[in-house]
Amino acid sequence: MAELTLKPWFYPSDRLVLDAKGMDINSVVLVDSVETPLTFEYDGLFLDISLARKFSRLEEYTLRIDYVAKPDAFEAQGSAAITDAKGLYFINPDSSDVDKPTQVWTQGQTESSSVWFPTIDTPAERMTQEIFMTVRKEFQTLSNGTLIYSNFNADNTRTDYWKMDLAHPPYLAMMAAGDFIIAHDRWEKANGAEIPVNYYVERDYANYAYNIFGNTPEMLTFYSDVLDYEYPWDKYSQIIVRDYVSGAMENTTSVIHGEFLNQTDRELLDYDYEDVIAHELFHHWFGDLVTCESWSHLPLNESFATYGEYLWAEYKYGVDEADFRGWQSERGYINEARTKRVPLIRFEYDDKEDMFDAHSYNKGGRILHMLRRTVGDSAFFKSLNVYLKENAFKDAEADKLRHAFEDVTGLDLNWFFDQWFYQAGHPELTYSYFYDDSLKQMQVVVEQTQNLNNNPLYSFPVLLDIYYGDDVVHHEIMVSQNEEVFRFNVSEEPSWIDVDANRALLCERDDRKPEEWWAKQFMKGGDFRHRLEVLEHIDKDPKQEHAMILEAALSDPHWYIRSKSMSLLSEMDSISEMALMKIQVIAQNDPKTSTRSRAIRLLAEDAAELISEDDLIAGVEKERSYFINAASLEALASVNLEKAVGYANDMADSESSDVLEAIAEVYIASGEPSHQSFFELQIREKSPFMKYDLLQQYAAYLQTQNAETCKSALLLVEEVSAEPGVWWVNVSNYRLLNAVIVRLESMSVEGVDNPVLEDARELHARLLENEENPSLQGVLSELE
């Protein structure tokens, strides 16, 4: 049963059309002093109601709709970001799976709330809401807004009444229920009032709730302060659910996270998902408070939430870490841009789900960073404050964001928004340098080399620094042509030149600076992006002459630079004694466990004398970090394979994917047929991500096995191919099949029947014939 109170937007109306997907509609009644049954038409998607009379925009009316939602029967198409669209999900409803809790939860974005309640399912709509949830009395419930009361019923159930007083879009409505433990936290507003901050987790993770979510109150303070706009809602709850169809969802006051956020304190030593937590919280200003007017303007939600991750990292962990994450995000967009270039704001798309891509998230976040660098920090954050205040509890288009920035700065920013928000692509730049000693003139040539058929010719300001030893002279140039030569009168030949000195520009660059300048950039460039660019340059063609830079990079303040330098050093003909000593210190003491684990593996491969068997055994037995356990076990296999196999056998029931992958590597090195059961058991039981990696390792293991072992693998391939779920698991699965066939062919003797090989070829032909996914067809065709 649903009651909707509405009024016409402007024009008088005697008709209402609601989104109502896949329901049984029993009746519609106009609720007034006298209840009036109304006539309606329903086609399975839209409920078209005749209101019996015209209502003006000043008149509210209430409808009571008796309906049955049937989400499991509704056929819906998801997207890469949100894999299903049936709105309401029942997880293990009969409790038949003893390893999975019983839960119910919803997912409204993009337009799936109308699968579980009739509504006007568009991001431009706003509503308040009341939800009554009747559940087993031992279950906890969660919904938007405030829990007003709970009533215990005679049938051992409980009815909870949740009320949301502040208007928000229908796609952000949510409810969830299940056997959760609630960890209670709080946040203090500027006036001293407190709002509840709660974390709903499974019982097995109750002791880790504060480890996972504990920075949330500090995030609330930081975002409220930096935006000068206090968190506008009455509570903030987060819940982790099973089998979620997305990564996370910013439902107003009640965020849902996928089960990947379930982590123990040991797992959190190695990595966390604080960026996801920050992303969903920042949405409560950009997405929930101010909402994109249509999905064409989705970047007003997602670009900001992505940049919210950067802002939190910058505040909490420093500019280097923020720039590392910004670089990762930029790289995600650049990778997508190799096959897809579309405007950030798109008015034409095949499906609204197409908007959920690395343009709306990654590219938009980088564009906001450019905008910040263009106007300056003070103007940037003041403009965001104006945008929020002017559009609070309303929908917005990108032009409203531009207007806010122009009102604050007094600048005409059409040039910025036109090329970055409304046109596709990005600049692809080449920098060249020429010094004329006779004229005492330095020439810097900037070329835009992007294909102008699917990219505009960009116009942008760039900071250019000219270094003379330790001194630097700052310049600003304006790039607007295909090729431009910028001439600078100098007193002497510069030490080196830095184009786009603050690394604000979203672009691909081919920087043709002299080789000796790269070392100077690493030493003098200062920030993370400058130092990383040097290592990326070396990565294109590592040479022994780069060893001094890489040795210096081992002492870099940022963990990724230290780790990257070790990877590059491992490709050198030799590693200096000093560098090996630094790597030994990293293996023992680095604060980042991923960097320590990289050092342990490198020493085991290139300088085993610097890491003892006892050290590796201690890494397996005593370290709490799973990364260190895994690296030590793999390294031990290169020193004492028999002992490593013994530890692997003892650890085979580990819950850590990193440890399990290390065990797989030990078993590959051992090649014992008895290890096959480990691979097949883990592949059958683990998540798609883990399954993907283990299938590849199983393929490597089978390269030393006999035909009977390979025969068992064929059964697994067929089983995995028939499983519902994410398609990309079959990329590894089909490559496993290809590897089995190659192995069987290598064992074949001419003129002797090999029935297992024939079975493998028959399975391959059948899968290829039935496979509809072009990418997977291509994987199977790799065998040919």
Side-chain angles (χ1 to χ4, degrees), residues 328-340 358 508:
Q328 282 187 310
S329 186
E330 180 179 304
R331 188 171 60 172
Y333 158 68
I334 295 294
N335 287 339
E336 182 176 89
R338 308 217 184 285
T339 56
K340 176 182 181 179
E508 292 181 84

Side-chain angles (χ1 to χ4, degrees), residues 701-718:
Y701 168 78
L702 289 171
Q703 296 311 297
T704 60
Q705 302 306 308
N706 61 25
E708 194 60 31
T709 305
C710 290
K711 181 178 179 180
S712 177
L714 296 180
L715 299 175
L716 180 69
V717 168
E718 189 162 21

Side-chain angles (χ1 to χ4, degrees), residues 266-279:
R266 291 187 65 185
E267 291 170 314
L268 287 163
L269 291 172
D270 296 326
Y271 59 92
D272 60 51
Y273 296 100
E274 199 170 274
D275 55 340
V276 178
I277 295 170
H279 182 108

